[in-house]
Amino acid sequence: MACMKLGSKTDGFQLKGQAWFSTSGLPSDITVEVGDISFHLHKFTYYDMQFPLLSKSCLLENLIAEKSDEDEICIVELPNIPGGSRAFELVAKFCYGEKLELTASNVVQLRCAAEYLQMTEEVAEGNLISKTEIFLNQSILRSWKDTLKALQACDDLHLLPYAEEHNIIKRCMESLSVKTCTDPNLFGWPLMEHGSMQSPGGSVLWNGISTGARPRDFSSDWWYEDITSLSLPMYKRLISVMESRGIKEEVIAGSLTSYAKRNLPGLKKRHDGLPVASKSLLSEEEERNLIEEIEKLLPTRKGLTSSKFLFSLLRTAMILKVSSDCLLNLERRAGMQLDQASLEDLLMPTFCHSMETLYDVDCVQRILGHFLAVDQATAAASPGAVDDDEQLLGSPTLTPVTTVAKLIDGYLAEVAPDVNLKLEKFQKLVAAVPEFVRPLDDGLYRAIDIYLKAHPWLSESEREQLCRLMDCQKLSLEACTHAAQNERLPLRVIVQVLFFEQLQLRTSIAGCFLMSDNLDCSRPLRSGLIASSEGGGWATAATENQVLKVGMDHMRMRVSELEKECSTLRQELERLGKGRNGWGSVSKFGFSFGPQICSNQDERQKSVSKKIERLEAKIGMHKKGFFDQL
């Protein structure tokens, strides 16, 4: 910390109760009252120095001249001196030539007090105003931490108007903003201001000895934590000065996030979504005002502030019951980047006693509405963009609106077990997501199934009405299998699921036999499937993979059946061979059979042998087609 030493004499003052006395033993002839403290000083000589107060302060000289009487003790009151009794104590030491240290913590008080007491160069050369000005300009304003300390000292209600009048606040803010807008690695602050030096090799020196350590690089957020100690009015002014100097919006957003987290303990929450109990230095009204001011200062551009922070700020704002305009703006900000949120962010408990549900479903629905409105406006503003369906199928990554649909399906599954969640509210949130943005309805089916399980009292018509929001054609085979056996679903829905499941199976089987009957074209067909999957996107490729999987299963079953049939025919052929040998032995004993029986046996054997050959060829053909498709 920067320091400037003034004076050379030892401390000649002593505090007794609420009064300061000189230790010189000379009787005092003037009393200066500052608040509750009295200073018993000398109007005339002290250590062969005449008029110690009158020779430094024009104001004291005029006041003493008005009330002075050589035969009586003069009493002067200074109720409005900036810095109060502490500042006047330092001024008195300066006037008496006592040892005094100017620091970042007291220079603002002394500068304002000196101006108040009119301690100018016209009164005395090297007076206190010039001393404090030199120290401010040459030491304090060149150091980040000292400038910050001086600015914090200006926040005193008694000092603030004087610091404003003499441009101390403005100069401190200009100095801080210049440093934040400049790469810290170029000039070395805040590292070099602590006296660190570097060797020619680049390592840090301590007392001229190389420590081997390298100077640390500072990122653009090195100053975030430092300015969180400023009061909200002073912080707002500093941010305004930084913006006028062209500092980047993302840097401003990062600083605001850091300031809010430091002064709003409610932003930190447990894993269950409830705020952590933490003592705050601000009152509830001050916290409410802080949230409203932070919301106004946050940049509006999407992505500059994290979604997690916005949802935490919104949650805290609900607890503190901020203004409706502030809540609406926070919901809009959260809705703009809903695709970047997580399921944990959406699980906001209900803080209003009038609502019976565990989670605030209405708030999530409003946030979703803001997101969809922004998405539609963006799509309308870019007419050359691809169609929604083409974008959904052609992009290898999920589009933001599809990501949000998946997020809402997960949220629906989390809130569905709440027995107090009304069917109309659940349906309204489901219907808020456009149907075309869901590639599959498995997530929606899961949420509906959980809701039906938690609400067994729903009538058949209500269950059918809820299930109409789900498209059975967009269920995977696994979901269809589960739904076909789900007793909670209405009978009409189960029939629809079975119908579409059979349709998928028939399509898969037809595709399987088509591939097996066109083995010569198997490789071109496979390449065609790959090309179509690349052109159709992730969703098409996933569907074709399911079709291929089912087709392979059916092919394995078909090969197994053919092998069994072939084995049975081989056993029959063996029996025919044994029977022929038996008939030949019987003929030796004199039995006579016509040549027709033997010819029938030969024909039967030939027929079975040909059938076995055909089956073996067919088995080989199926196996070849199976391995070609792998």
Side-chain angles (χ1 to χ4, degrees):
M1 181 185 294
C3 176
M4 182 178 182
K5 294 183 179 181
L6 302 176
S8 59
K9 298 178 182 179
T10 58
D11 193 359
F13 291 95
Q14 183 179 6
L15 178 63
K16 295 181 180 179
Q18 297 293 320
W20 283 93
F21 294 91
S22 172
T23 58
S24 64
L26 296 176
S28 63
D29 52 7
I30 181 173
T31 300
V32 180
E33 295 183 351
V34 183
D36 297 334
I37 305 297
S38 299
F39 294 86
H40 299 271
L41 306 176
H42 304 84
K43 181 171 47 174
F44 295 105
T45 183
Y46 176 65
Y47 286 141
D48 297 331
M49 182 179 69
Q50 295 185 353
F51 312 114
L53 296 180
L54 279 63
S55 62
K56 297 290 185 182
S57 170
C58 184
L59 177 66
L60 287 176
E61 182 181 4
N62 294 334
L63 292 176
I64 291 172
E66 292 176 1
K67 299 183 179 181
S68 175
D69 190 339
E70 295 182 0
D71 298 330
E72 297 179 0
I73 296 177
C74 179
I75 299 177
V76 176
E77 294 182 356
L78 298 174
N80 299 321
I81 183 173
S85 59
R86 175 59 183 164
F88 187 78
E89 175 193 345
L90 298 176
V91 170
K93 287 183 177 182
F94 174 78
C95 293
Y96 278 83
E98 301 286 348
K99 289 182 179 180
L100 170 66
E101 285 188 354
L102 289 180
T103 64
S105 301
N106 63 23
V107 65
V108 177
Q109 296 177 348
L110 283 172
R111 173 67 181 84
C112 296
E115 193 73 35
Y116 178 83
L117 294 172
Q118 302 174 18
M119 302 175 71
T120 61
E121 291 296 297
E122 287 77 9
V123 178
E125 186 178 354
N127 214 341
L128 189 56
I129 291 179
S130 63
K131 293 288 185 182
T132 52
E133 275 293 325
I134 292 173
F135 184 62
L136 270 172
N137 294 327
Q138 296 184 0
S139 299
I140 297 299
L141 296 180
R142 292 185 178 183
S143 167
W144 166 268
K145 289 191 176 296
D146 288 337
T147 305
L148 191 60
K149 284 183 177 293
L151 186 60
Q152 290 171 343
C154 296
D155 220 2
D156 188 295
L157 292 177
H158 299 290
L159 284 178
L160 187 60
Y162 296 96
E164 287 280 12
E165 181 180 355
H166 306 307
N167 291 327
I168 298 176
I169 295 178
K170 181 180 179 181
R171 285 184 285 169
C172 288
M173 288 187 174
E174 289 289 341
S175 174
L176 293 176
S177 62
V178 167
K179 291 178 174 64
T180 56
C181 295
T182 308
D183 186 358
N185 297 305
L186 295 178
F187 299 99
W189 58 64
L191 182 63
M192 294 301 293
E193 67 184 24
H194 297 295
S196 300
M197 301 190 65
Q198 297 182 28
S199 68
S203 62
V204 178
L205 295 178
W206 178 77
N207 286 345
I209 303 172
S210 175
T211 62
R214 294 286 174 177
R216 180 164 59 95
D217 290 335
F218 290 90
S219 58
S220 59
D221 61 349
W222 60 268
W223 50 274
Y224 286 179
E225 186 66 24
D226 292 339
I227 66 172
T228 55
S229 57
L230 294 174
S231 66
L232 180 59
M234 203 68 73
Y235 177 80
K236 286 173 56 180
R237 289 184 59 181
L238 180 59
I239 292 297
S240 177
V241 174
M242 291 179 181
E243 288 178 339
S244 66
R245 284 193 165 270
I247 196 168
K248 295 180 180 179
E249 286 188 324
E250 52 266 29
V251 178
I252 294 293
S255 175
L256 288 166
T257 301
S258 180
Y259 189 84
K261 288 180 178 179
R262 167 72 181 272
N263 295 281
L264 293 172
L267 292 180
K268 303 174 183 178
K269 56 189 181 63
R270 299 194 299 261
H271 294 292
D272 55 6
L274 297 176
V276 174
S278 178
K279 186 177 180 180
S280 175
L281 299 177
L282 304 178
S283 64
E284 213 173 275
E285 180 65 29
E286 289 173 333
E287 287 188 348
R288 190 180 300 116
N289 182 50
L290 174 59
I291 291 179
E292 293 176 356
E293 293 296 336
I294 289 291
E295 189 280 321
K296 294 176 183 176
L297 293 173
L298 281 173
T300 57
R301 189 151 57 93
K302 178 181 177 180
L304 295 181
T305 309
S306 69
S307 293
K308 186 171 291 296
F309 171 73
L310 288 176
F311 277 94
S312 298
L313 196 64
L314 176 59
R315 185 183 293 106
T316 308
M318 290 178 177
I319 298 174
L320 296 174
K321 296 181 174 58
V322 301
S323 65
S324 56
D325 291 340
C326 179
L327 281 176
L328 181 60
N329 291 333
L330 286 174
E331 289 176 357
R332 285 175 179 168
R333 290 179 181 273
M336 284 177 61
Q337 48 196 67
L338 182 59
D339 55 309
Q340 301 172 9
S342 64
L343 180 57
E344 183 185 5
D345 297 331
L346 294 184
L347 295 176
M348 294 180 290
T350 300
F351 300 107
C352 181
H353 297 292
S354 61
M355 298 181 67
E356 299 177 351
T357 55
L358 179 62
Y359 296 106
D360 196 341
V361 181
D362 293 335
C363 178
V364 173
Q365 186 169 348
R366 290 194 297 268
I367 292 174
L368 175 60
H370 293 313
F371 172 80
L372 294 175
V374 172
D375 184 73
Q376 291 175 3
T378 304
S382 47
V386 294
D387 180 82
D388 285 335
D389 294 334
E390 293 178 1
Q391 186 180 11
L392 195 62
L393 295 175
S395 175
T397 58
L398 295 178
T399 60
V401 68
T402 307
T403 305
V404 169
K406 184 179 180 181
L407 179 65
I408 295 299
D409 288 347
Y411 178 77
L412 288 168
E414 288 292 329
V415 301
D418 188 357
V419 295
N420 293 321
L421 181 60
K422 302 299 183 183
L423 177 62
E424 295 78 11
K425 188 170 293 188
F426 187 82
Q427 287 177 311
K428 199 172 181 181
L429 185 55
V430 172
V433 180
E435 294 181 5
F436 68 89
V437 301
R438 287 189 178 98
L440 290 175
D441 273 11
D442 288 12
L444 180 57
Y445 164 68
R446 175 173 174 266
I448 291 176
D449 184 41
I450 294 174
Y451 187 83
L452 292 176
K453 184 178 180 180
H455 301 76
W457 56 82
L458 294 178
S459 63
E460 185 76 10
S461 61
E462 289 176 330
R463 286 186 292 157
E464 287 184 2
Q465 184 182 4
L466 177 60
C467 292
R468 285 196 198 103
L469 299 172
M470 174 181 61
D471 188 355
C472 297
Q473 298 185 66
K474 293 166 68 174
L475 295 178
S476 64
L477 290 176
E478 292 81 5
C480 287
T481 303
H482 184 277
Q485 304 172 6
N486 193 346
E487 297 179 353
R488 289 184 289 272
L489 296 179
L491 183 59
R492 180 177 298 179
V493 176
I494 294 178
V495 171
Q496 290 179 359
V497 170
L498 288 172
F499 172 76
F500 290 116
E501 184 182 21
Q502 291 296 322
L503 190 61
Q504 288 188 40
L505 289 174
R506 288 182 181 181
T507 305
S508 301
I509 294 171
C512 172
F513 283 114
L514 179 62
M515 287 186 292
S516 64
D517 291 340
N518 296 276
L519 290 176
D520 294 337
C521 302
S522 60
R523 295 191 181 275
L525 180 60
R526 184 186 179 202
S527 61
L529 285 172
I530 295 175
S532 64
S533 65
E534 291 177 354
W538 179 86
T540 305
T543 305
E544 290 175 353
N545 285 336
Q546 290 180 352
V547 172
L548 286 175
K549 182 180 177 182
V550 175
M552 296 304 175
D553 292 339
H554 285 283
M555 189 178 291
R556 290 191 190 96
M557 293 174 59
R558 181 61 177 162
V559 170
S560 178
E561 291 174 359
L562 291 173
E563 287 178 342
K564 288 180 180 179
E565 186 177 353
C566 187
S567 177
T568 303
L569 289 174
R570 284 197 184 97
Q571 293 175 3
E572 183 179 353
L573 184 61
E574 290 177 1
R575 285 197 302 271
L576 288 173
K578 290 179 180 180
R580 183 174 182 181
N581 292 335
W583 289 117
S585 63
V586 171
S587 63
K588 292 179 182 180
F589 291 95
F591 294 98
S592 177
F593 294 94
Q596 186 175 2
I597 296 176
C598 294
S599 64
N600 288 338
Q601 287 181 342
D602 291 338
E603 291 177 1
R604 176 63 175 166
Q605 285 181 339
K606 290 178 181 179
S607 175
V608 172
S609 297
K610 289 181 179 180
K611 187 176 290 187
I612 290 174
E613 290 176 0
R614 286 196 302 269
L615 287 174
E616 287 178 344
K618 201 167 187 178
I619 290 171
M621 197 165 56
H622 276 76
K623 287 183 177 180
K624 184 177 183 300
F626 172 74
F627 286 112
D628 286 342
Q629 293 303 318
L630 291 178

